[in-house]
Amino acid sequence: DVLLASRGASAGRGGPGVGLRARVRAGKDVVRVVQQAARGAAVVGADEKCERLGLFLDGRRGVPEPDDVAALGVALDLQSARPEYREFLKGLRVVDGTWDDHDLGVNDAGREARDLTERLALYVDFLVRSGTQQKRKALAVQRGGAYCSHRFGSTVKVILLDTRSFRDAHLVPSVGAMFRGVPVVGRAMPLLAAAIRFGTRDLADLISYQGDVLGEAQWLWLQEELESDATAFTVVVSSIQVATSNPSFESWAHFPAAKRRLHRLLSANSPETTVLLSGDVHHAETARFGQVPEVTSSGLTHTLQTSKLTRLLFPPLLAFFSAHRTFASSYDTSVNYGQIDLDDRRMLVTVRGRDGQPLLPGVSVVASSSCSSSSRRGAGASSAAKDRQDQEECSDAENEDASASASS
């Protein structure tokens, strides 16, 4: 989860932003740390003036037991009512996000999940209660998915992908949600699913598995969003990792045809000023997907270090599968959150720990000197009009563009 902060705003609007991965069972001490960082106390000095633009959630808000719709609704209601969470959201211009498997309430799920429409409605209700985007639910119902975008003036566009609502099953369908609630056996199934993924990813490459992640309508939407983008920077959010070489985690690598299509699309649309954000995997790392850097922050309340079993099993895998990373050592299994600081010349993405200090080297992207609304991306008038329509549908904040442009 990542919160945007725009440097150069008027004083008194709050400090830089942070991501909040607050589960129903998240401790108050963790939330207080995030609130402190959000006010700037743990991240930058008092002389740094920033405006908190928005909180963008990338999954795992509540984890109901068992995985039925009623339990999901209760989990999201409890999260919305938490006083720490409500206090944290004050002063944010935008609260929006995509969802991951635990947001829809079924481990490793894709479009085959039961009651997907009802689950999506509950999740978007949660977003609307957290923010001001009253048009968001209607857009999600129209599209049948959680994907959306926000543009902040000429500085940055945030594109939220939905990698669950339209995703096909893995080559070998996941057993991660089986026997949930059954002692011992239920807890072992996610590890068994990880082992199956580990053993079948190369097979998916070998037979060129054609399973999709986004669905054709979302692919066309993403292409228009990228081609019509006239901002200095683009942030593309995927709840699952894109570049990882680790086969045990859910990722785009298990859908090789879709991953290649995403690579072609990003490579054709200003990759030098684009950043990928992801989550899901319970650790942080930085990687590269061709020319595009990827920053993973996961998670704020617990990580692979929390469980004795995952603490034993996964660190050797993280150390071994390093080909995708910026540096072999650019990963961390401490609790963490993601932060973006930007102005109209530079975007800096960092992953920070409990004390607000960076855990990994930051990823810096510099705006192209030739960036302009007419030259950055070659889009026609129809695509631009469609983009403006999407922005109006995603948010009721009609001054979103103008106010963000002034602040940055």
Side-chain angles (χ1 to χ4, degrees):
D1 306 340
V2 175
L3 192 148
L4 258 58
S6 177
R7 298 189 182 278
S10 58
R13 292 295 302 276
V18 297
L20 177 63
R21 183 174 298 280
R23 297 197 182 196
V24 172
R25 55 178 178 264
K28 290 185 178 180
D29 60 325
V30 175
V31 179
R32 289 195 189 101
V33 169
V34 177
Q35 290 173 329
Q36 181 186 28
R39 290 192 294 269
V43 182
V44 297
D47 59 330
E48 298 279 10
K49 298 178 181 179
C50 302
E51 179 183 9
R52 300 193 301 159
L53 295 182
L55 175 67
F56 293 94
L57 310 169
D58 69 347
R60 296 177 183 260
R61 221 69 43 224
V63 188
E65 297 280 359
D67 58 350
D68 58 65
V69 175
L72 177 62
V74 170
L76 293 172
D77 286 343
L78 288 172
Q79 180 58 58
S80 293
R82 288 187 68 90
E84 300 90 356
Y85 183 63
R86 295 174 67 88
E87 177 65 24
F88 176 77
L89 296 178
K90 289 181 179 178
L92 295 179
R93 185 181 303 166
V94 175
V95 179
D96 205 346
T98 189
W99 63 349
D100 203 45
D101 50 351
H102 291 269
D103 298 297
L104 63 88
V106 183
N107 192 39
D108 296 349
R111 62 185 179 90
E112 77 282 354
R114 294 180 294 106
D115 306 314
L116 195 60
T117 301
E118 290 81 358
R119 295 172 189 276
L120 177 63
L122 286 171
Y123 180 68
V124 179
D125 274 339
F126 167 75
L127 293 175
V128 170
R129 281 178 289 174
S130 300
T132 59
Q133 305 94 278
Q134 295 300 321
K135 298 178 182 178
R136 181 70 165 93
K137 184 175 181 179
L139 183 63
V141 170
Q142 172 189 332
R143 291 174 169 170
Y147 61 96
C148 189
S149 71
H150 290 269
R151 186 178 61 246
F152 294 90
S154 60
T155 305
V156 64
K157 175 185 276 190
V158 179
I159 298 174
L160 302 166
L161 301 179
D162 184 340
T163 64
R164 294 292 173 178
S165 298
F166 312 97
R167 197 211 70 192
D168 293 326
H170 291 87
L171 178 61
V172 177
S174 175
V175 298
M178 294 179 64
F179 304 111
R180 188 167 187 177
V182 178
V184 183
V185 176
R187 288 185 173 274
M189 297 312 290
L191 294 177
L192 178 58
I196 293 173
R197 286 192 294 268
F198 186 94
T200 58
R201 192 192 66 173
D202 289 343
L203 179 60
D205 277 326
L206 182 64
I207 69 172
S208 191
Y209 178 53
Q210 296 299 303
D212 198 9
V213 175
L214 300 183
E216 193 59 29
Q218 188 176 183
W219 278 115
L220 295 176
W221 168 84
L222 175 59
Q223 181 175 349
E224 289 196 9
E225 288 289 325
L226 291 172
E227 290 179 348
S228 65
D229 190 0
T231 57
F233 304 104
T234 303
V235 176
V236 179
V237 180
S238 168
S239 66
I240 58 173
Q241 287 187 308
V242 178
T244 183
S245 58
N246 190 332
S248 59
F249 298 117
E250 285 197 284
S251 73
W252 283 74
H254 296 284
F255 303 88
K259 183 177 179 180
R260 288 192 293 269
R261 183 174 181 178
L262 181 65
H263 184 269
R264 290 194 299 269
L265 192 55
L266 294 179
S267 298
N269 290 280
S270 299
E272 68 280 358
T273 52
T274 299
V275 170
L276 279 164
L277 302 182
S278 57
D280 179 58
V281 290
H282 302 264
H283 69 274
E285 65 181 338
T286 59
R288 293 203 72 84
F289 185 52
Q291 294 178 264
V292 179
E294 179 180 359
V295 180
T296 300
S297 59
S298 176
L300 184 61
T301 59
H302 56 285
T303 67
L304 294 175
Q305 287 292 327
T306 306
S307 161
K308 291 181 179 179
L309 186 57
T310 57
R311 189 162 62 239
L312 174 67
L313 294 177
F314 283 95
L317 291 174
L318 296 182
F320 183 80
F321 291 102
S322 61
H324 59 286
R325 295 197 193 109
T326 311
F327 306 101
S329 60
S330 60
Y331 69 96
D332 196 284
T333 57
S334 308
V335 291
N336 62 85
Y337 60 85
Q339 175 179 310
I340 300 176
D341 294 281
L342 75 158
D343 55 28
D344 55 2
R345 299 175 301 279
R346 180 172 178 258
M347 175 168 61
L348 177 65
V349 187
T350 53
V351 177
R352 298 177 181 270
R354 190 183 294 272
D355 60 357
Q357 298 303 309
L359 296 176
L360 302 171
V363 172
S364 180
V365 178
V366 179
S368 169
S369 60
S370 61
C371 176
S372 69
S373 59
S374 61
S375 64
R376 181 171 186 250
R377 305 183 193 267
S382 60
S383 291
K386 176 64 165 56
D387 178 65
R388 288 193 296 273
Q389 179 184 13
D390 282 346
Q391 300 312 312
E392 293 169 358
E393 288 176 334
C394 282
S395 176
D396 288 330
E398 295 182 358
N399 64 343
E400 180 173 299
D401 290 359
S403 57
S405 180
S407 70
S408 59

